[in-house]
Amino acid sequence: MTYEDITLVNGDCFDVMDELIQKQVKIDLLVTDPPYYIPKINEGGTVNNIKKLNKSLGDLKTVDITLGYDIKAFGERLLKLMDGVNAYFWCNKAQIPDYFAYYVGELGCKFDILCWHKTNALPTYSNKYLSDTEYLLYFRKGKGMCYPENYEDAKSYYIAPINHKDKKLYGHPTIKPLDITEKIIRNSSREGDLVLDTFMGSGTTMEACRNLKRRGIGIELEKTYFDIADKRINNQQIELLEEWN
């Protein structure tokens, strides 16, 4: 589907990236939220809180986003799609070493670690710290750019609650805030640049691109979320979905 300068593709991102490489497409920025690696589900908190956590993780497993992905194989494709590296990845702490091993250790990228501190995370803290922070890793090399226009855009931390309203509206279990997505796109691209999101989910990155006059390519494997993103970008009414919790 294509809406003006936004193209949405329902498919496996590795296959679609290979097609884009064959077509010699060049992107200016990657902003994406790949599957997290979540090895354990039964730790921390009271029985009721563990039940809530297990329900959340069970829903993540339903859409197959708890086992991570091949970071290096993905990166090798990314290098063929852009001149240098200009890329943002959402991740959890378990994945940070693998990202740094490849993008910093092998490729020699500069990096920043941005954080979303959630004020309403589940209180599962028995024998562990709260899972109240998600990490947004920014890697850049060559033509990678970071030019915040103001003090707020230059901040590396973001404090806000989990957005249950958007989870209900768009139905995606790991939906990210639109405003921080717009901030990083403003900081690292210009109007008219081409932004790629390889794990599009319900279309937050593509909505940000549309709002900021960037071109966008969004790829999503799950048909359910692709259809939601399709309606969202096409400004169609989306029925309220069942509440996440």
Side-chain angles (χ1 to χ4, degrees), residues 32 44 54 88 90 116 139 164:
T32 198
N54 286 348
Y88 288 88
W90 286 99
W116 173 22
F139 300 109
H164 290 291

Side-chain angles (χ1 to χ4, degrees), residues 84-233:
V85 177
N86 193 32
Y88 288 88
F89 298 92
W90 286 99
C91 72
N92 63 359
K93 67 179 182 180
Q95 294 171 299
I96 291 176
D98 290 336
Y99 275 108
F100 273 70
Y102 180 67
Y103 285 97
V104 179
E106 292 192 30
L107 300 185
C109 293
K110 296 180 180 179
F111 68 89
D112 285 285
I113 303 177
L114 287 71
C115 298
W116 173 22
H117 302 291
K118 294 177 283 190
T119 58
N120 60 344
L122 285 174
T124 51
Y125 51 81
S126 176
N127 197 34
K128 65 186 287 291
Y129 285 104
L130 279 174
S131 299
D132 60 354
T133 301
E134 293 194 40
Y135 301 92
L136 180 58
L137 306 182
Y138 175 46
F139 300 109
R140 61 188 184 276
K141 182 178 180 180
K143 292 185 178 181
M145 57 181 289
C146 182
Y147 298 109
E149 295 182 355
N150 54 61
Y151 186 81
E152 287 300 315
D153 279 1
K155 289 182 177 179
S156 61
Y157 62 91
Y158 179 81
I159 301 174
I162 298 170
N163 191 334
H164 290 291
K165 179 181 177 181
D166 279 354
K167 280 190 174 184
K168 286 176 63 178
L169 181 60
Y170 300 119
H172 197 280
T174 65
I175 193 167
K176 297 303 187 291
L178 177 62
D179 51 356
I180 192 172
T181 305
E182 291 182 341
K183 179 179 82 169
I184 61 178
I185 290 175
R186 282 196 303 270
N187 289 348
S188 296
S189 67
R190 302 179 178 86
E191 287 190 10
D193 279 356
L194 180 57
V195 180
L196 175 66
D197 185 351
T198 48
F199 301 93
M200 176 178 63
S202 59
T204 301
T205 301
M206 293 299 101
E207 180 176 350
C209 288
R210 186 185 61 189
N211 295 345
L212 297 172
K213 299 180 181 179
R214 270 65 168 175
R215 295 176 294 139
I217 299 175
I219 307 168
E220 174 54 42
L221 178 61
E222 292 293 328
K223 185 65 162 58
T224 298
Y225 298 124
F226 174 83
D227 289 342
I228 291 171
D230 187 9
K231 291 181 179 179
R232 182 178 182 179
I233 300 306

Side-chain angles (χ1 to χ4, degrees), residues 44-57:
T46 65
V47 172
N48 287 337
N49 288 331
I50 290 174
K51 286 182 179 179
K52 289 182 180 179
L53 178 63
N54 286 348
K55 179 188 182 300
S56 299
L57 292 173

